[in-house]
Amino acid sequence: MSRIQACFEALGRARRKALIPYITAGDPHPALTVPLMRALVEAGADIVELGVPFSDPMADGPVIQRAGERALKHGVGLSDVLSMVEDFRKEDNKTPVVLMGYANPIEAMGSERFIGRAKEAGVDGLIVVDYPPEECGEFAAQARRAGIDPIFLLAPTSTDKRIREVARIGSGYLYYVSLRGVTGAGNLDLADVAARMPKIRAATRLPIGVGFGIRDADSARRVAETADAVVIGSRIIQEIEAGTADEAVARVKAFLRPIRQALDASSRQ
Amino acid sequence: MQMYDLPDARGHFGPYGGVFVAETLTAALEELRLAYERSRKDPEFQAEFRYELKHYVGRPSPIYHAKRLSERCGGAQIYIKREDLNHTGAHKINNTIGQALVARSMKKPRVIAETGAGMHGVATATVAARYGMECVVYMGSEDIKRQSANVYRMKLLGAKVVPVESGSKTLKDALNEAMRDWVTNVDSTFYIIGTVAGPHPYPMMVRDFQSVIGEECLVQMPELAGRQPDAVIACVGGGSNAMGIFYPYIAHEKTRLIGVEAAGEGLASGKHAASLCAGRPGVLHGNRTYLLQDKNGQITETHSVSAGLDYPGVGPEHAWLKDSKRAEYVAVTDDEALGAFHELCRYEGIIPALESAHAVAHAMKIAPAMRKDQVLLVNLSGRGDKDMHTVAARAGLDF
């Protein structure tokens, strides 16, 4: 059983919702990435999404773009990100790690070589934003053979046919993008999320994470009323950029803890 | 050669092209694909497109025998397709009219565009004014500094120009930002891409609208020169003027197709924009194609004296034409392009865009080794008014 599957099964038994924070690897400094990942876990993360910096992050809003630019200034590439996961694994063999990024750095390394190295490093899932199912059948199959979950996005505009296609090829969890726009936008539509969940659940037994636009304990709690997992990215990056590098670990923990508490409080009701 | 019928149903030219976008854009691209398919088959749409090209753009654009330049080169006869004479001064308007008509058929009241040198931005602002649409143009803040006259032109035409401060602050970043706008405002907005790149159906759609250039040449060359050319030469940034003149010639196997990229300060310097000559295949802006990238797969910054060629990718159909060897791709330096710019001014009384000067430079390079009865056809994709500051600055003058 994959770490991601084990994680969701354990959460299901405990009737808890998954909290999935995102940070960009190398932001604000490469030496801080592993400490930040550990801080996220200490503050209650169930799965960590680690962004791979890319020069042209077409699907990201300004906050995650800036994080990527800071990481790229330190020369952080895909190889470095894999080394960071390897480091993280030295002390944490349980928390699933999902890499999120764009296709080109992967193709530059070579898909097969990348998947082999990701497996060795202890990566559990991959979200390649610009790899829709039609364009990455072989890549997704390679990942699954290596025991890595290919995770796909669904959008408010995804058709039923498309939901079935994504459910067929994806594993680990499905990532529902809760708004029309880029990461970090403010217009989360909770009614849309609630309305879409039954449609997606009809097509898949995979857990469903919801992200893009979740900003605080309240929006997280309300999304978790229908979703299995809550993904938070831009707000965490904002916490990192609001303070000095030395404060990053403490700030991120302080931000995430109340969200964990809110999720657990409402799931006990 | 087999009948050429690319791209396939999902926009692939061999291994290139495709739809490499986030799920958030998938539905919008599918809607566009269907709408364009309808327009393509609709005789009324095609008739209106042709009418606009004739009466608003001034087509057909003439072909001109550059006799003095040919004599100076001492070899092949050089003919010039005068896209610089189109309304707005470049080939870009062919495509923006086509896409604006598709936008209107989809009832989208707002159009957006990315622009580098500003020519596509001006062409988009122009058609937005013509058809009464709201228009927003994304432009890198570096490019805004380099091309202030075009920025003002767009504003006069009623467009809003949004400076893009991310990444290298140039064309590729403007494209990223336009995509972000589109994904956020997809219900009301049509994204008019300016070149034969981006996700399917853009490379095909832009090629189709631009191929009026080559179709006219097929008719004009026999009338004027008594034959089809031995080679067709066009500059390639994203590659829309080149695709427009190449496409109708693909089936004419005796005509060589030569794309000219920007070698900037020389391919060895690393300061260039020659993705086909010096890049590797990868994925950017929704399609797989040749890209200028570093070992980590990060897209690298490009350089060219002409802002319109300053792009790290290239249309996927060019990638396919290169691999299949139907077209050849070469590169011309800033200095060579400027040399050709001045020659065309002095010998023919035509001030070319610096982009188009790259194609002229290559024609001047190969013409001397050819016979006098051989024929080169150069696509003069735009006029040089926008480049006065750049050319003057290179000569040490303050314009």
Side-chain angles (χ1 to χ4, degrees), chain A residues 43-244:
Chain A
D46 299 294
I47 295 173
V48 174
E49 280 185 8
L50 191 58
V52 181
F54 180 49
S55 52
D56 292 81
M58 229 166 64
D60 286 304
V63 175
I64 292 181
Q65 285 176 51
R66 286 198 299 270
E69 284 176 14
R70 286 191 293 266
L72 287 173
K73 277 205 183 112
H74 294 293
V76 174
L78 184 53
S79 270
D80 306 301
V81 178
L82 292 170
S83 304
M84 291 169 185
V85 177
E86 225 172 333
D87 262 4
F88 173 79
R89 278 281 168 255
K90 284 175 189 160
E91 286 179 28
D92 186 330
N93 201 30
K94 184 171 153 272
T95 310
V97 174
V98 172
L99 296 190
M100 181 165 182
Y102 293 79
N104 202 54
I106 294 173
E107 296 203 354
M109 182 180 279
S111 296
E112 248 175 273
R113 182 156 165 257
F114 164 70
I115 287 170
R117 287 190 58 188
K119 183 68 200 166
E120 258 172 56
V123 170
D124 302 287
L126 300 172
I127 303 171
V128 186
V129 176
D130 50 354
Y131 259 170
E134 298 83 4
E135 299 287 1
C136 74
E138 181 51 33
F139 176 80
Q142 279 173 4
R144 275 196 308 271
R145 278 198 297 277
I148 297 178
D149 290 316
I151 295 161
F152 288 92
L153 305 183
L154 287 173
T157 47
S158 301
T159 60
D160 290 354
K161 183 170 165 247
R162 207 157 163 86
I163 294 171
R164 286 195 298 275
E165 172 68 11
V166 166
R168 190 179 63 77
I169 191 170
S171 62
Y173 56 95
L174 291 178
Y175 186 161
Y176 181 70
V177 173
S178 48
L179 54 85
R180 296 183 179 202
V182 292
T183 53
N187 44 340
L188 173 66
D189 185 347
L190 287 160
D192 166 79
V193 173
R196 295 288 292 189
M197 281 306 128
K199 277 194 166 185
I200 301 173
R201 291 205 192 280
T204 183
R205 296 176 66 181
L206 288 172
I208 301 162
V210 173
F212 283 39
I214 298 171
R215 314 198 56 79
D216 50 25
D218 187 53
S219 50
R221 183 184 54 73
R222 290 169 65 189
V223 163
E225 284 170 11
T226 49
D228 303 301
V230 173
V231 187
I232 305 181
S234 297
R235 269 299 284 120
I236 295 177
I237 308 281
Q238 283 174 328
E239 286 302 314
I240 293 172
E241 42 180 33
T244 63

Side-chain angles (χ1 to χ4, degrees), chain A residues 53-58 60 65 69 72 104-105 107-108 129-132 134-135 153 155 157-158 162 180-182, chain B residues 10 12 18-23 26-27 166-167 172 176 180 183-184 187 282-284 288 291 293 296-299:
Chain A
F54 180 49
S55 52
D56 292 81
M58 229 166 64
D60 286 304
Q65 285 176 51
E69 284 176 14
L72 287 173
N104 202 54
E107 296 203 354
V129 176
D130 50 354
Y131 259 170
E134 298 83 4
E135 299 287 1
L153 305 183
T157 47
S158 301
R162 207 157 163 86
R180 296 183 179 202
V182 292
Chain B
R10 292 209 310 251
H12 296 106
V19 184
F20 291 88
V21 297
E23 180 65 19
T26 300
S166 58
K172 76 177 179 73
N176 292 334
R180 292 178 188 120
V183 76
T184 310
D187 286 337
V283 174
L284 179 70
R288 181 176 283 124
L291 301 173
Q293 51 180 313
N296 286 327
Q298 308 297 350
I299 306 307

Side-chain angles (χ1 to χ4, degrees), chain B residues 72-352:
Chain B
R72 175 167 167 79
C73 292
Q77 301 307 306
I78 299 172
Y79 286 78
I80 292 174
K81 177 66 169 167
R82 300 289 309 275
E83 290 299 299
D84 60 317
L85 295 178
N86 290 337
H87 179 42
T88 72
H91 70 293
K92 293 290 185 188
I93 189 97
N94 303 328
N95 168 50
T96 56
I97 286 183
Q99 290 198 48
L101 292 178
V102 178
R104 206 186 56 190
S105 80
M106 296 172 78
K107 302 193 167 45
K108 307 276 184 184
R110 177 175 181 264
V111 295
I112 58 171
E114 83 295 338
T115 197
M119 296 311 284
H120 173 59
V122 168
T124 303
T126 299
V127 298
R130 165 84 183 82
Y131 299 114
M133 294 161 164
E134 184 191 344
C135 179
V136 176
V137 178
Y138 290 93
M139 189 168 182
S141 58
E142 282 300 317
D143 289 334
I144 286 181
K145 276 187 238 159
R146 293 195 279 190
Q147 300 287 345
S148 52
N150 270 344
V151 174
Y152 187 58
R153 228 167 255 150
M154 287 183 263
K155 287 180 182 165
L156 285 176
L157 292 161
K160 183 179 165 202
V161 180
V162 179
V164 176
E165 302 286 353
S166 58
S168 58
K169 305 179 172 60
T170 60
L171 176 58
K172 76 177 179 73
D173 310 287
L175 212 153
N176 292 334
E177 207 52 41
M179 282 279 183
R180 292 178 188 120
D181 177 314
W182 197 31
V183 76
T184 310
N185 302 299
V186 68
D187 286 337
S188 68
T189 300
F190 187 102
Y191 179 15
I192 299 185
I193 291 186
T195 192
V196 286
H200 182 63
Y202 283 103
M204 175 180 79
M205 178 168 67
V206 177
R207 174 201 73 191
D208 291 351
F209 290 139
Q210 290 293 0
S211 62
V212 63
I213 304 172
E215 283 160 15
E216 288 173 2
C217 293
L218 279 177
V219 177
Q220 292 167 316
M221 283 307 288
E223 287 171 3
L224 194 67
R227 53 177 294 202
Q228 295 298 347
D230 295 282
V232 173
I233 304 174
C235 65
V236 176
S240 70
N241 89 82
M243 233 24 261
I245 197 165
F246 285 0
Y247 184 62
Y249 275 99
I250 289 176
H252 284 248
E253 286 177 63
K254 285 182 186 157
T255 298
R256 287 167 66 193
L257 307 176
I258 307 175
V260 185
E261 295 193 301
E265 296 177 13
L267 293 186
S269 71
K271 290 186 169 178
H272 59 80
S275 17
L276 288 163
C277 293
R280 286 178 288 128
V283 174
L284 179 70
H285 293 152
N287 67 104
R288 181 176 283 124
T289 187
Y290 281 83
L291 301 173
L292 294 172
Q293 51 180 313
D294 68 13
K295 65 176 171 38
N296 286 327
Q298 308 297 350
I299 306 307
T300 51
E301 292 192 17
T302 51
H303 167 82
S304 169
V305 68
S306 70
L309 301 183
D310 219 345
Y311 179 65
V314 63
E317 194 161 12
H318 285 296
W320 168 249
L321 290 174
K322 173 189 161 79
D323 282 14
S324 66
K325 300 195 165 44
R326 178 62 191 93
E328 311 151 51
Y329 295 89
V330 297
V332 151
T333 64
D334 287 351
D335 288 344
E336 290 170 321
L338 277 156
F341 174 93
H342 288 297
E343 298 273 302
L344 199 66
C345 291
R346 298 283 181 85
Y347 280 83
E348 298 294 348
I350 297 172
I351 301 176

